[in-house]
């Protein structure tokens, strides 16, 4: 994964001696020292192109300024990023970029996170010298499901062109025409067809490529952002959840070299809509439909109180966060001898060789580590009298066979974030939150433990599984080890770490932003 | 040694483009001589001849060949730059139309010298007649065994492929040429790596101009010393100059380097047309800084003299402007050209060329202000030296020199609110 560490060289940056890996490009060398070299076309996830000329710096011994992005660090290099010459060139390049720019910030979605705006405030602030007309180009060009293009705002940095060339391997954009009539465009008659198109919106430094989904929805300065993990598949792409007014506004990929690089797929990006879709906001009772959660809780407690261990079975979903799985396992143990199965009946995806995995669940690995995976077929072949299903929609995903199996269950109890066919078959169902409403962890296919943060408040009466099960345990007069009030991940993790060898030593609050790889050896012991 | 023509020696012959004519004049004799020698000896011969690249940059040809990496397990390519597009330059076209075998022989010898087994000729798309002549000549050369497998029984194999460009000035820039040849949009590459290391299809590549290669057979045939006997110490040999504009006899003239520029204009090209006075000369193609009449009187046709006057010999396109020429109008035409031809890759060039052209059109039409004149100078400065290739500099250099040397004319356009020479179109001037 990580290449062999390069030789460390000594060079000078604005007069100060610095060390850097040999060959590292100067933008990154500077970034590492807190010095921002402005740039448009350079992106660490793409090959260097050197076209925007914004990152020109002075190098002693070179007559002309050089682009930092294409200059590798080497022994003895002396570079300057803040000389009058450099500042003058920067300003000149900015002025050139803005000559034909429509300067329509008030109606531009990018405003607030626009490189042109930011650099102008830092390095521009000149009186306009442009009189007369600007070059007019195409606006509001529909590029398919994800993206809208405004070629007048474009700075022609070709990041989007190179994204397809370098990342998906199938070119979908190019620049037509020459000179100041150059325009980004798709190939004639084609839309953006890639399942990763949304990424070009993120990497577009200006308002040229905007998201159809996010357009005109919210000014970016109203957004609050939390670190999260995409629940769309076993890759577990690191994401940012941008939210405002208790509403998720958009997802963006968060750089994680070990998981997703700088990217995420469009399905994952749009996945946040499911947080609001088809939710079970209160409880469910057979014969009553949706009811206040407390009625469903009463009924659930009543049924479980009357069940013997041999009567009860539990189904854990690979969609649940690790903490919920652990809580379910502990709860099941309160019924010594109860059967526990884990898994899903959802049809897998097709892996695409880029990011998307066939396994559509974010936490299958944790299910394995906790020893909960498997046994679903057996459970359905020989269903218990009382079956507690968490989050899985067995009825919706499993077809006739699953429906027949569930019909044989006397009391189907469901914990679910959505009002699924399974919920509608249940004796009682309780609402639980999605990943966006709680703190928690997922373990991706490669065994990387990642943390996600709560973005919005739980919808309706949804309660996190550990709290819900603590409440149920208390109702049943059993001791689960925590109370609804202490059912936070931070409070649960010491018990998880102690009980599960693969997780030993994990401290919830110490999980790094990019997660960490669990020890595969210890994982094996857990199984 | 007295001057003897190298490049134009066959031009006057009947059917000068035919193989038989070329052979009758001793053609392909140099190839036989070359094949009997070691490739390194040819490189040395060209090095010591002091031959400099005739495409515009004037880089010593032998030294360029010397940059090829040794012992790399990759093919070496030679690309013939026949994308002659610099306004005012039309020498390569005439070579290909009137003596294509001279260039082909040069290509074969040079390929042999640098270890190339497949050479490409990238010819400007608009050069249809030149292309046909070259294609037919290449067919003749293949049939005669000068090109192809086992050239003249020497064991040396060489394929030559002619590729027609699609009409972009920038494809004359060597790395844009390589991109275009690879089937991509013709845009200059970031350097380093230079083509000698990573060129066509990622392999070591030499790109040489038509005229440069056309000289090589003569150098091999007569020796470096004979070549050095003409021209000056630092600018040896002869060179083709394309004289255009307001002269009596526009055309290509081969002269030894180092003669006074006015000798070229007055003796060879018949002087300024209609007995008019000389106002200015754009000495080496449209991108080179303009010389005023006083400077013209001092200029000699060699790299050093032009450098001392702050301009370049360039590709040898000498554009003569007489006293009636509107310098704002002339510059406006030049800058329109650059705005049209900028590849659009680098910001200062893409936006600068268009902006400059717009301001100049306004000035010429009497819509300009005094501030515009300084704006132009400032834009030129900002376009200079900040881009991937020198196209931006090529657009900025005439801008600066025209305004510095003829500022009064620019100001007159502002104070008069129009062009003092208005009413005469480019076509009128060109056909008068």
């Amino acid at each position: 994964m990580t290449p062999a560490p390069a030789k460390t060289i000594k060079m000078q940056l604005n007069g100060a001696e610095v060390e850097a890996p040999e060959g590292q490009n100067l933008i990154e060398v500077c970034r590492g020292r807190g010095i921002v070299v402005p740039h448009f076309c350079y992106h660490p996830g793409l090959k260097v192109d050197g076209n925007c000329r914004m990152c020109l710096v002075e190098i002693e011994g070179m007559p002309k300024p050089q682009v930092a992005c294409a200059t590798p660090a080497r022994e003895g290099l002396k570079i300057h990023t803040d000389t009058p010459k450099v500042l003058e060139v920067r300003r000149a390049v900015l002025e050139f970029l803005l000559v034909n720019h429509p300067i329509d910030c008030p109606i531009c979605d990018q405003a607030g996170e626009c490189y042109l705006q930011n650099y102008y405030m830092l390095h521009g602030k000149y009186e306009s010298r442009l009189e007369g007309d600007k070059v007019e180009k195409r606006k509001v060009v529909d590029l398919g499901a994800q993206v809208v293009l405004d070629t007048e705002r474009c700075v022609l940095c070709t990041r989007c062109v190179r994204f397809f060339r370098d990342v998906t391997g199938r070119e979908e954009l190019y620049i037509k025409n020459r000179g100041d009539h150059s325009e980004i465009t798709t190939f004639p008659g084609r839309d953006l067809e890639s399942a990763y198109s949304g990424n070009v919106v993120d990497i577009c430094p200006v308002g040229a490529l905007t998201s159809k989904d996010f357009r005109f929805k919210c000014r970016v300065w109203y957004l609050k952002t939390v670190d999260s993990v995409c629940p769309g598949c076993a890759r577990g792409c690191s994401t940012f959840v941008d939210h405002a007014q208790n509403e998720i506004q958009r997802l963006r990929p968060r750089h994680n070299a070990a998981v997703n690089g700088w990217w995420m797929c469009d399905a994952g990006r749009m996945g946040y809509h499911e947080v609001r879709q088809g939710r079970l906001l209160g409880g469910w009772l057979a014969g009553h439909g949706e009811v206040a959660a407390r009625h469903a809780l009463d009924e659930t407690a009543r049924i479980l109180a009357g069940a013997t261990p041999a009567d009860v079975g539990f189904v854990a979903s690979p969609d649940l966060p690790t903490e919920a799985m652990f809580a379910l396992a502990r709860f099941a143990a309160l019924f010594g001898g109860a059967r526990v199965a884990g898994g899903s009946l959802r049809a897998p995806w097709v892996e695409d060789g880029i990011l998307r995995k066939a396994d559509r669940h974010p936490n299958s690995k944790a299910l394995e580590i906790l020893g909960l995976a498997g046994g679903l077929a057996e459970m359905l072949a020989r269903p218990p009298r009382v079956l507690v299903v968490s989050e899985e929609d067995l009825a919706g995903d499993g077809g006739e066979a699953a429906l027949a199996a569930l019909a044989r269950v006397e009391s189907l109890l469901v914990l679910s974030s959505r009002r699924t066919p399974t919920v509608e078959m249940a004796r009682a169902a309780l609402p639980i939150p999605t990943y966006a409403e709680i703190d928690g962890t997922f373990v991706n296919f490669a065994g990387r433990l990642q943390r996600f943060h709560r973005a919005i408040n739980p919808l309706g009466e949804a309660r996190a599984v550990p709290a819900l099960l603590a409440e149920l345990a208390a109702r049943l007069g059993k001791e689960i080890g925590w109370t609804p009030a202490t059912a936070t991940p931070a409070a649960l993790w010491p018990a998880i770490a102690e009980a599960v060898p693969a997780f030993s030593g994990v401290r919830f609050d110490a999980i790094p932003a990019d997660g960490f790889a669990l020890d595969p050896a210890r994982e094996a012991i857990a199984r | 040694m007295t001057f003897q023509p190298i490049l134009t020696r066959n031009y006057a012959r009947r059917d000068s483009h035919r193989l038989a004519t070329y052979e009758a004049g001793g053609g392909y004799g140099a190839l036989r001589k070359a094949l009997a020698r070691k490739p390194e000896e040819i490189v040395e011969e060209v090095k010591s001849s002091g031959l400099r690249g005739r495409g515009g940059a004037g880089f010593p040809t032998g030294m360029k060949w010397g940059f090829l990496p040794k012992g790399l397990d990759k093919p070496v390519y030679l690309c013939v730059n026949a994308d002659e597009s610099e306004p005012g330059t039309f020498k390569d076209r005439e070579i290909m139309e009137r003596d294509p075998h001279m260039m082909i022989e040069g290509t074969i010898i040079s390929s042999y010298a640098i270890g190339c087994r497949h050479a490409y000729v990238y010819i400007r798309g608009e050069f249809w007649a030149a292309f046909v002549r070259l294609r037919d000549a290449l067919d003749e050369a293949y049939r005669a065994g000068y090109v192809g497998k086992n050239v003249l029984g020497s064991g040396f194999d060489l394929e030559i492929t002619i590729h027609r460009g699609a009409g972009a000035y920038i494809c004359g820039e060597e790395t844009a040429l390589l991109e275009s040849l690879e089937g991509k949009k013709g845009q200059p590459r970031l350097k380093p790596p230079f083509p000698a290391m990573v060129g066509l299809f990622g392999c070591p590549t030499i790109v040489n101009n038509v005229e440069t290669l056309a000289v090589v057979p003569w150098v091999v045939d007569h020796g470096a010393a004979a070549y050095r006997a003409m021209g000056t110490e630092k600018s040896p040999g002869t060179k083709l100059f394309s004289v255009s504009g307001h002269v009596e006899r526009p055309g290509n003239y081969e002269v030894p380097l180092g003669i006074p520029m006015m000798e070229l204009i007055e003796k060879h090209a018949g002087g300024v047309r209609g007995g008019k006075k000389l106002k200015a000369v754009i000495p080496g193609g449209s991108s080179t800084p303009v010389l005023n009449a006083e400077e013209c009187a001092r200029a000699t046709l060699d790299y050093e003299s032009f450098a001392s006057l702050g301009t370049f010999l360039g590709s040898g396109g000498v554009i003569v402007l007489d006293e009636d020429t509107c310098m704002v109008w002339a510059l406006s035409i030049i800058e329109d050209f650059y705005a049209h031809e900028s590849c659009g890759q680098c910001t200062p060039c893409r936006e600068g060329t268009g902006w400059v052209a717009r301001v100049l059109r306004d000035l010429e039409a009497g819509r300009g202000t005094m501030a515009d004149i300084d704006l132009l100078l400032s834009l030129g400065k900002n376009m200079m030296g900040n881009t991937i290739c020198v196209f931006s500099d090529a657009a900025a250099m005439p801008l600066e020199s025209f305004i510095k040397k003829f500022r009064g004319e620019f100001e007159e356009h502002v104070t008069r609110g129009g062009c003092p020479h208005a009413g005469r179109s480019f076509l009128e001037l060109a056909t008068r």
Side-chain angles (χ1 to χ4, degrees):
Chain A
M1 201 81 198
T2 353
K7 199 178 105 190
T8 300
I9 54 93
K10 282 196 173 72
M11 53 175 276
Q12 275 190 21
L13 172 54
N14 296 339
E17 181 145 303
V18 298
E19 290 190 343
E22 185 168 37
Q24 188 179 37
N25 85 54
L26 296 184
I27 289 185
E28 296 299 343
V29 173
C30 293
R31 207 201 297 268
R33 307 290 173 308
I35 295 173
V36 176
V37 180
H39 57 271
F40 292 93
C41 70
Y42 169 75
H43 187 284
L46 304 172
K47 286 187 189 145
V48 166
D49 206 56
N51 64 55
C52 76
R53 317 310 286 176
M54 192 65 189
C55 71
L56 287 165
V57 295
E58 279 202 282
I59 297 178
E60 286 182 26
M62 301 243 194
K64 295 197 260 182
Q66 302 291 313
V67 279
C69 67
T71 310
R74 57 172 191 271
E75 188 68 42
L77 206 62
K78 292 177 182 167
I79 75 162
H80 296 275
T81 66
D82 55 2
T83 60
K85 171 75 184 162
V86 170
L87 298 179
E88 186 191 323
V89 169
R90 236 175 236 177
R91 210 172 117 120
V93 172
L94 256 183
E95 186 183 32
F96 283 131
L97 282 171
L98 287 165
V99 178
N100 287 308
H101 188 90
I103 327 232
D104 56 347
C105 312
I107 56 157
C108 178
D109 254 10
Q110 191 80 4
E113 53 184 7
C114 174
Y115 286 34
L116 266 178
Q117 270 189 335
N118 294 346
Y119 293 152
Y120 179 79
M121 297 315 285
L122 284 169
H123 307 288
K125 289 191 178 166
Y126 49 79
E127 287 294 316
S128 172
R129 300 195 287 177
L130 180 81
E131 312 239 328
D133 299 336
K134 296 180 180 233
V135 178
E136 288 179 13
K137 298 186 197 172
R138 295 177 306 150
K139 297 181 84 73
V140 206
V141 186
D142 188 331
L143 293 187
Q146 296 290 327
V147 186
V148 178
L149 167 67
D150 183 319
T151 61
E152 287 187 343
R153 293 179 186 156
C154 176
V155 293
L156 295 158
C157 69
T158 71
R159 276 183 174 189
C160 54
V161 174
R162 285 174 287 139
F163 170 76
F164 291 110
R165 187 181 299 157
D166 297 349
V167 180
T168 69
R170 182 172 177 272
E171 300 204 23
E172 300 198 26
L173 289 170
Y174 72 107
I175 292 178
K176 71 169 181 184
N177 298 342
R178 273 196 315 239
D180 60 11
H181 286 70
S182 299
E183 267 182 43
I184 293 284
T185 183
T186 51
F187 297 110
R190 306 292 282 271
D191 280 339
L192 290 185
E193 287 155 12
S194 166
Y196 290 81
S197 308
N199 292 294
V200 300
V201 173
D202 303 327
I203 59 176
C204 180
V206 297
L209 296 164
T210 49
S211 157
K212 246 184 193 177
D213 182 66
F214 181 66
R215 262 164 85 81
F216 309 132
K217 214 159 74 170
C218 183
R219 276 303 191 183
V220 297
W221 49 84
Y222 293 126
L223 296 175
K224 293 184 183 70
T225 300
V226 295
D227 287 1
S228 190
V229 176
C230 176
C233 81
R235 169 75 58 181
C237 293
S238 295
T239 59
F240 290 118
V241 175
D242 291 335
H243 61 97
Q245 296 172 318
N246 207 40
E247 196 74 64
I248 299 176
Q249 304 292 337
R250 65 174 178 186
L251 301 187
R252 286 175 298 137
R254 178 164 55 91
H255 176 238
N256 188 334
V259 178
N260 55 310
W262 283 265
W263 323 115
M264 72 187 294
C265 73
D266 294 346
R269 186 183 297 268
M270 291 300 108
Y272 79 88
H273 288 291
E274 289 176 12
V275 168
R276 281 274 173 193
Q277 274 164 9
R279 284 296 292 270
L280 180 65
L281 295 172
W284 175 276
L285 276 182
H288 295 272
E290 289 196 31
V291 296
R294 65 192 155 86
H295 299 306
L297 190 66
D298 290 344
E299 179 68 356
T300 305
R302 193 187 63 75
I303 291 168
L304 287 174
T308 62
D311 285 343
V312 190
F314 293 87
V315 173
S317 166
D319 286 337
L320 289 176
T322 314
E323 300 73 29
M325 291 176 178
F326 177 75
L328 194 71
R330 275 288 160 96
F331 187 77
L334 299 178
F335 300 80
R339 285 191 284 154
V340 182
S344 174
L345 299 178
R346 270 182 101 182
W349 261 346
V350 177
E351 264 188 52
D352 63 4
I354 301 175
L355 292 176
R356 189 180 289 178
K357 305 300 289 180
D359 178 2
R360 296 172 73 170
H361 307 282
N363 213 14
S364 301
K365 198 75 181 179
L367 209 56
E368 265 177 49
I369 291 171
L370 290 165
L372 299 174
L376 190 54
E378 294 83 346
M379 181 79 83
L380 292 177
R382 214 161 40 79
R385 192 172 67 80
V386 178
L387 181 62
V388 182
V389 176
S390 65
E391 198 60 344
E392 278 308 305
D393 179 17
L394 300 175
D397 296 333
E400 291 300 320
L403 285 173
L406 293 176
R408 285 195 280 147
V409 174
E410 187 185 301
S411 296
L412 178 62
L413 302 175
V414 177
L415 312 180
S416 181
S417 62
R418 288 166 302 130
R419 184 175 154 174
T420 60
T422 309
V423 167
E424 289 173 1
M425 284 179 78
R427 180 74 171 269
L430 291 163
I432 61 173
T434 65
Y435 77 101
E437 297 146 65
I438 49 171
D439 289 290
T441 59
F442 289 143
V443 183
N444 87 344
F445 76 100
R448 195 170 187 87
L449 179 72
Q450 290 196 83
R451 180 174 169 182
F452 54 85
H453 295 253
R454 170 181 179 153
I456 59 174
N457 295 325
L459 300 186
E461 295 186 89
R463 277 173 89 184
V465 172
L468 199 54
L469 295 180
E471 168 94 32
L472 273 172
R475 295 264 192 121
L476 299 173
K478 296 178 192 266
E479 180 51 55
I480 195 169
W482 62 88
T483 68
T486 63
T488 62
L492 286 174
W493 263 93
I496 301 174
E498 197 193 320
V500 185
F503 291 137
S504 83
V506 173
R507 278 178 36 237
F508 182 70
D509 288 327
I511 298 171
D514 62 347
F516 64 84
L518 296 172
D519 186 337
R522 280 189 289 158
E523 196 184 307
I525 297 166
R527 265 197 238 105
Chain B
M1 186 177 166
T2 50
F3 166 68
Q4 74 181 98
I6 296 173
L7 292 147
T8 54
R9 65 182 187 273
N10 296 324
Y11 277 14
R13 293 174 202 264
R14 187 186 177 85
D15 285 337
S16 62
H17 60 285
R18 295 247 179 259
L19 177 61
T21 321
Y22 188 63
E23 283 174 329
Y28 289 105
L31 174 60
R32 287 175 207 280
K33 280 191 191 172
L35 291 173
R37 300 169 71 181
K38 288 191 185 129
E40 307 86 78
E41 292 172 32
I42 311 295
V43 175
E44 272 315 306
E45 193 77 60
V46 171
K47 252 186 206 166
S48 49
S49 76
L51 173 62
R52 298 172 65 157
R54 302 299 194 217
F59 196 82
T61 304
M63 196 192 285
K64 194 180 204 179
W65 292 359
F67 290 154
L68 285 171
K70 304 278 182 289
L72 202 66
D73 188 24
K74 276 184 173 177
V76 173
Y77 292 107
L78 174 67
C79 292
V80 185
N81 189 343
D83 192 54
E84 182 178 58
S85 315
E86 177 84 356
T89 313
F90 41 87
K91 63 192 177 64
D92 295 340
R93 184 181 68 191
E94 197 172 28
I95 290 173
M96 292 183 286
E97 285 175 1
R98 298 178 74 165
D99 202 355
H101 283 287
M102 181 168 57
M103 186 202 94
I104 293 172
E105 187 181 10
T107 305
I108 304 166
I109 295 172
S110 304
S111 295
Y112 174 72
I114 65 172
C116 162
R117 299 291 173 269
H118 197 152
Y120 290 85
V121 182
Y122 187 96
I123 184 168
R124 179 175 173 183
E126 293 91 332
F127 284 177
W128 178 253
F131 165 69
V132 168
R133 284 272 163 95
L134 189 64
R135 182 192 62 192
D136 293 349
L138 186 59
D139 286 348
E140 286 182 316
Y142 262 103
R143 281 197 297 275
Y146 296 127
V147 190
K149 289 253 175 272
N150 195 15
V151 172
L152 295 177
S154 66
F156 169 62
D157 301 335
L158 177 68
E159 298 295 328
I160 298 179
T161 303
I162 306 174
H163 179 87
R164 294 180 61 222
Y169 170 78
I170 194 59
C171 289
E173 196 277 350
E174 61 178 7
T175 57
L177 183 152
L178 297 177
E179 286 284 294
S180 176
L181 204 48
E182 289 180 2
K184 302 174 194 150
K185 187 172 183 179
Q187 291 188 326
R189 296 175 181 170
L190 271 177
K191 292 162 282 260
F194 290 93
M197 299 301 292
V198 182
L200 186 62
F201 308 125
C203 297
T205 302
I206 294 292
V207 183
N208 281 146
N209 168 260
V210 169
E211 183 185 350
T212 313
L213 290 171
V215 172
V216 168
W218 196 93
V219 169
V220 170
D221 208 13
H222 297 75
Y227 191 71
R228 278 200 168 277
M230 293 182 283
T232 71
E233 165 74 29
K234 285 185 177 150
S235 307
T238 68
K239 163 126 190 63
L240 282 169
F241 288 92
S242 309
V243 186
S244 65
H246 305 145
V247 290
E248 290 291 347
R249 289 193 303 274
N252 284 316
Y253 298 98
E254 182 179 12
V255 296
L257 287 165
I259 67 161
M261 186 166 81
M262 290 315 293
E263 184 183 327
L264 174 73
I265 294 170
E266 277 162 7
K267 197 175 126 203
H268 295 272
V272 179
R273 196 175 51 187
K276 296 273 186 185
K277 278 203 294 199
L278 180 75
K279 181 185 265 185
V281 170
I282 303 168
S286 62
S287 63
T288 54
V290 69
L291 299 176
N292 59 29
E294 181 271 322
E295 290 165 324
C296 291
R298 286 190 279 139
T300 56
L301 296 174
D302 51 76
Y303 295 97
E304 312 86 270
S305 161
F306 277 37
S308 73
L309 290 168
T311 188
F312 302 95
L313 191 70
S315 52
V318 179
I319 305 170
V320 178
L321 306 175
D322 75 10
E323 56 186 321
D324 293 342
T325 313
C326 170
M327 296 306 274
V328 179
W329 165 82
L331 180 62
S332 179
I333 290 171
I334 290 174
E335 296 300 341
D336 270 349
F337 172 80
Y338 286 106
H340 186 254
E341 293 294 343
S342 166
C343 85
Q345 195 176 195
C346 302
T347 308
C349 178
R350 177 182 69 235
E351 306 295 341
T353 51
W355 192 358
V356 164
R358 270 177 278 163
V359 173
L360 277 169
R361 280 197 294 268
D362 282 350
L363 265 178
E364 170 66 3
R367 296 189 296 264
T369 64
M370 287 295 178
D372 284 344
I373 301 170
D374 290 320
L375 172 66
L376 286 171
L377 284 175
S378 157
L379 294 182
K381 181 164 146 275
N382 290 344
M383 287 163 65
M384 194 90 86
N386 295 331
T387 47
I388 289 175
C389 79
V390 295
F391 182 103
S392 193
D393 304 65
M397 285 190 299
L399 183 64
E400 203 177 26
S401 61
F402 268 71
I403 296 178
K404 282 198 174 143
K405 293 177 189 177
F406 300 94
R407 188 173 180 118
E409 290 196 32
F410 287 80
E411 288 171 350
E412 195 183 350
H413 279 69
V414 176
T415 49
R416 266 175 173 261
C419 177
H421 308 264
R424 285 182 303 139
S425 72
F426 171 69
L427 269 179
E428 266 176 334
L429 280 168
T431 56
R432 193 172 55 180

